[in-house]
Amino acid sequence: MIALLFLIPVLGSVIWFNRIDLLLAFVKYQSQKDANIGPNREVVWAQGPSIESSPDAERPPNIILIVADDLGFNDISTFGGGLADGRVQTPSIDQLAAEGAVFTQAYAGNATCAPSRAMIMTGRYQAHTGYEFTPMPSGMAPIVSMVANSLDTGLPTITHPSEEEGTVPFDQMSLPSEEVTIAEILQDNGYQTAHIGKWHLGYTPGSTPNDQGFDESLLLAGGLYLPEDDPNVVNARVEFDPIDRFLWSRLNYGASFNTGTKDRFEPKGYLTDYYTNESIKFIQANRNQPFFLYLAHWGPHTPLQATREDYEAVGDIKPHRLRVYAAMIRAIDRSVGEIMAALEAEGLAENTVVMFTSDNGGAGYIGLEDVNKPFRGWKATMFEGGLRVPMFVKWPANIPAGTKIDAPVAHIDMMPTLSSVASAELPESLEIDGVDLMPLATGESEELGRKTLFWQSSHYRAVRHGDWKLQVSERPNKAWLYNLVDDPTEQNNLAELRKDKYEELMALLVEHRSTSRKPLYPSEVEMPVTIDKSLAQPYQKGDEYIYWPN
C-alpha cells in the first residue's frame, strides 16, 4: 500500500511532464485507426474523343491552373533569387514565366490557404462569400495551442474566440454550393474538368470538387508525401513548430478518386510526382477536346518530406530542413517542366493557357528566414511577405513572350480571366470582384481599370489603393501605412506622419466592411505571428507581431 501511494504521484508527474508527447501519440493512434487506406489502385480517367472534335485553332483553348501551397516569393529563381542564396534554381518555372506574362505585383486573396483558394475559384472576396477562415481538423486548434504554450517561446498566448460563439464541425466549413466556380463555368461551356490535389473548400455533399464543377477529382486525402518510414523519403521535423508536430501525428498517406474523402487508397510514389503523372494522363486522355485541369499541389506545405534523389541533387545545404525544403521545391519545378513537355508532345502547347501561382506567401513557422525575401512578413500576416505571390500566364497563341505587367493584380482576377479565355459568360446572379487580366496580358490594353484591393481576416484588415497600403489590427491595436513605390519592403510606417492617407484608406476599409457578410463560421483561434522573425528565432520584447484570426 505504501509503495502504491508513492507510485501514484510519480506516475502523475511522469504523465504531466510527458503530456504533450502522450497527447500527440494518441492523435497518431486515432488517425491510423480511422484512416482505412487501401493499397494503391490505378486511376482511370474518362477518355475523350479519339479524333479532334474540331481543328485545334478553332476550338477553345485548354486551360491548366497550377497552384503551389505556401510557396515563398524567393523560393523560385524567376525574380532573381532562389533558395539557399540562389544555389537552388527553378528553371522550368522560370521558363514558363519567360515565355508568357509575368505579373510583377501579384497578390494572394488571403494570407492563408482556404480563403485564397475560394477566391481563385469564385473571383469573389471572402467578405462577399463569407468563406473567411481556413478550416482546421477537429482538435487541431486546442492541441496546437497546448503545444505552443508548452514551448515557452515568449510570444503572447494563443486565444480561442470561438469558445464564446461555439465551434462548427470541420466537415461543415464549406464554400457554399450557391457560389459559382470557374470549374462550373467551364464545364457549362463544354470543357472536361479535373481537379488534382488539395481542395480545402469542403468535403460534404454539395461542396466537394465533383459538386463544384469538376467532372473528375483526384483528392488529397492524407497529407504525407510518402510514408514516414519509406526507404526513399527524407523527413525533416520542425520541433519548434506546434503545427508541424500536430501534422506529423495527424496526417496519413492517402488519396481518393471521385469519392470525396471516402474509399481512400495509397498514392503511387512521392505525392508531387504522383499528381504530375496523373495530370499528364488526364491531358493525354483529353487531347482532342477542350479541358480544364486544376493542379493544386500540396508542396511545399509541411510536413517537410523529399525524395532521396532530390535531397542528394540539391547539394550539401544547411540546415537539414532547408535542404529538404529545397528538394521539395525542385520536385515542384520538375512538375511544371514535365507538364509543359507533355503539352508539347501532344501538340497542345500553342493553344493551352497555363497559369501558375501560390495560395499565399511562405510560412515563418518552418524557420527559414529568406523564403519571402526581400519582403517582410510571412503566411498569416498581411505584410507583403504573406501576400505577394508569383502569378504567370503562358498562352503562345495570344500572349507575347517576355510580357511584364506591373499593375497590382490578385487571385480574385483569375476566375474572370479564365472565363474570358474560354469566351464564357460570368454569372449574372453574383457580383464578381475580380477583373479580366487578358487585355493586359495580350497587349490590347495598358490600363487595368481598378485601383483598390482588399484583404480581411476578422479584425485584421488591409487595403491597397494605388501605391499606398494600409493594415489595421485590433490585437494589437495598431496601423501600418506604407507607400509601396518608395518603400516596397514596408520598413517606414507612415501611419502617424501621413494622417491624410491613413484617413483616405481607412474610409475605404470601412466602406468595404459595410458591404461584408458575416463569416460562415467563427474564427477558432488567434495566433501571434512575429513579422520580422521566423519561428526559429527567439521572440524578444519589442518585436512586432500581429494576432492572426483563423
Side-chain angles (χ1 to χ4, degrees):
M1 177 63 74
I2 295 175
L4 181 60
L5 291 174
F6 174 77
L7 186 60
I8 289 174
V10 171
L11 286 174
S13 297
V14 170
I15 291 171
W16 172 254
F17 285 111
N18 293 279
R19 65 193 185 283
I20 301 299
D21 291 335
L22 291 170
L23 177 60
L24 293 174
F26 176 75
V27 171
K28 191 176 188 70
Y29 165 77
Q30 194 66 43
S31 176
Q32 291 176 342
K33 179 182 176 184
D34 297 340
N36 194 27
I37 297 174
N40 174 259
R41 58 176 179 265
E42 183 182 2
V43 173
V44 180
W45 298 96
Q47 294 295 306
S50 58
I51 59 174
E52 289 184 326
S53 54
S54 60
D56 188 55
E58 296 179 8
R59 81 184 200 203
N62 309 305
I63 299 172
I64 299 177
L65 173 58
I66 304 173
V67 179
D69 198 318
D70 292 357
L71 185 73
F73 190 83
N74 192 50
D75 286 345
I76 59 177
S77 46
T78 308
F79 303 108
L83 282 172
D85 295 322
R87 287 177 61 184
V88 180
Q89 297 288 291
T90 50
S92 296
I93 295 173
D94 296 350
Q95 183 178 352
L96 169 63
E99 292 177 350
V102 175
F103 297 92
T104 63
Q105 296 191 81
Y107 287 93
N110 191 269
T112 59
C113 54
S116 277
R117 293 168 187 275
M119 281 182 262
I120 289 172
M121 288 289 107
T122 65
R124 282 161 51 81
Y125 284 121
Q126 69 267 53
H128 299 151
T129 64
Y131 200 74
E132 191 159 329
F133 308 116
T134 292
M136 293 186 291
S138 59
M140 181 174 179
I143 292 173
V144 167
S145 300
M146 187 181 299
V147 175
N149 292 335
S150 74
L151 295 176
D152 191 25
T153 62
L155 279 165
T157 58
I158 294 175
T159 62
H160 296 270
S162 62
E163 290 176 352
E164 301 174 5
E165 302 180 56
T167 58
V168 175
F170 174 66
D171 60 4
Q172 294 180 23
M173 300 179 186
S174 305
L175 182 70
S177 58
E178 59 266 24
E179 295 292 336
V180 179
T181 69
I182 181 60
E184 290 175 295
I185 289 174
L186 295 176
Q187 188 181 57
D188 289 344
N189 280 267
Y191 278 72
Q192 181 70 12
T193 59
H195 154 263
I196 294 177
K198 184 173 179 176
W199 179 239
H200 216 167
L201 300 179
Y203 303 99
T204 53
S207 63
T208 69
N210 297 102
D211 294 323
Q212 294 278 28
F214 289 99
D215 296 305
E216 300 173 287
S217 171
L218 177 59
L219 180 70
L220 171 73
L224 295 182
Y225 295 83
L226 278 170
E228 189 177 349
D229 58 355
D230 190 285
N232 191 41
V233 74
V234 181
N235 303 311
R237 289 176 176 266
V238 187
E239 292 295 335
F240 52 77
D241 173 27
I243 296 174
D244 189 71
R245 294 181 67 179
F246 176 83
L247 293 180
W248 279 107
S249 299
R250 178 70 170 76
L251 298 181
N252 297 292
Y253 179 59
S256 64
F257 186 59
N258 293 339
T259 60
T261 55
K262 300 175 182 177
D263 194 20
R264 296 190 289 173
F265 54 88
E266 287 196 349
K268 186 177 182 180
Y270 185 67
L271 201 62
T272 302
D273 294 327
Y274 174 64
Y275 289 159
T276 304
N277 294 336
E278 293 301 326
S279 295
I280 292 170
K281 286 168 58 178
F282 172 79
I283 291 168
Q284 292 169 339
N286 294 280
R287 61 187 177 275
N288 291 320
Q289 65 180 350
F291 62 79
F292 170 49
L293 168 62
Y294 172 36
L295 171 54
H297 275 304
W298 180 224
H301 195 291
T302 51
L304 301 182
Q305 292 184 289
T307 65
R308 194 161 298 280
E309 179 184 0
D310 286 329
Y311 181 78
E312 295 298 333
V314 297
D316 187 19
I317 296 171
K318 298 283 191 297
H320 174 68
R321 66 179 179 277
L322 175 57
R323 184 171 177 179
V324 173
Y325 185 81
M328 297 172 75
I329 299 297
R330 185 175 189 265
I332 294 171
D333 186 68
R334 177 172 61 250
S335 172
V336 171
E338 290 180 357
I339 286 170
M340 302 308 290
L343 292 174
E344 291 284 354
E346 298 297 333
L348 301 173
E350 184 72 11
N351 197 34
T352 297
V353 176
V354 181
M355 291 195 78
F356 178 89
T357 192
S358 174
D359 58 355
N360 46 251
Y365 51 70
I366 59 175
L368 301 175
E369 281 69 38
D370 291 339
V371 292
N372 294 322
K373 189 178 178 179
F375 300 115
R376 290 182 77 190
W378 318 96
K379 171 186 179 179
T381 80
M382 291 180 188
F383 284 80
E384 296 288 280
L387 293 175
R388 286 288 289 270
V389 291
M391 188 186 293
F392 316 134
V393 57
K394 177 183 175 181
W395 187 10
N398 287 278
I399 298 175
T403 298
K404 291 192 182 300
I405 299 161
D406 296 327
V409 302
H411 281 159
I412 54 169
D413 301 323
M414 299 179 82
M415 182 269 219
T417 299
L418 296 180
S419 296
S420 169
V421 161
S423 300
E425 297 290 332
L426 295 175
E428 296 181 358
S429 58
L430 296 169
E431 178 185 0
I432 304 302
D433 298 305
V435 299
D436 178 11
L437 302 179
M438 268 301 144
L440 289 178
T442 59
E444 295 177 19
S445 174
E446 296 182 357
E447 298 294 330
L448 181 63
R450 177 190 60 205
K451 293 183 65 176
T452 311
L453 290 168
F454 296 97
W455 300 269
Q456 72 179 48
S457 189
S458 186
H459 63 80
Y460 182 30
R461 297 174 289 149
V463 57
R464 174 166 179 169
H465 182 65
D467 297 329
W468 290 84
K469 179 181 168 192
L470 173 68
Q471 301 177 63
V472 295
S473 167
E474 293 178 9
R475 290 183 291 279
N477 186 9
K478 189 167 182 176
W480 297 266
L481 177 68
Y482 302 100
N483 183 312
L484 294 179
V485 171
D486 299 334
D487 186 14
T489 59
E490 298 173 298
Q491 303 296 321
N492 185 23
N493 186 359
L494 301 175
E496 293 295 328
L497 293 175
R498 290 298 307 268
K499 289 292 188 181
D500 58 330
K501 280 295 176 183
Y502 168 82
E503 291 173 0
E504 179 186 357
L505 269 66
M506 192 66 204
L508 293 172
L509 279 175
V510 170
E511 181 183 5
H512 182 68
R513 192 163 202 172
S514 71
T515 68
S516 301
R517 63 182 290 182
K518 184 179 179 181
L520 296 170
Y521 43 88
S523 166
E524 284 191 68
V525 64
E526 292 193 6
M527 302 171 288
V529 182
T530 50
I531 296 163
D532 297 308
K533 289 181 174 179
S534 79
L535 199 56
Q537 301 168 297
Y539 170 80
Q540 295 177 319
K541 187 175 181 180
D543 289 341
E544 283 196 280
Y545 67 91
I546 59 91
Y547 262 109
W548 179 260
N550 189 67

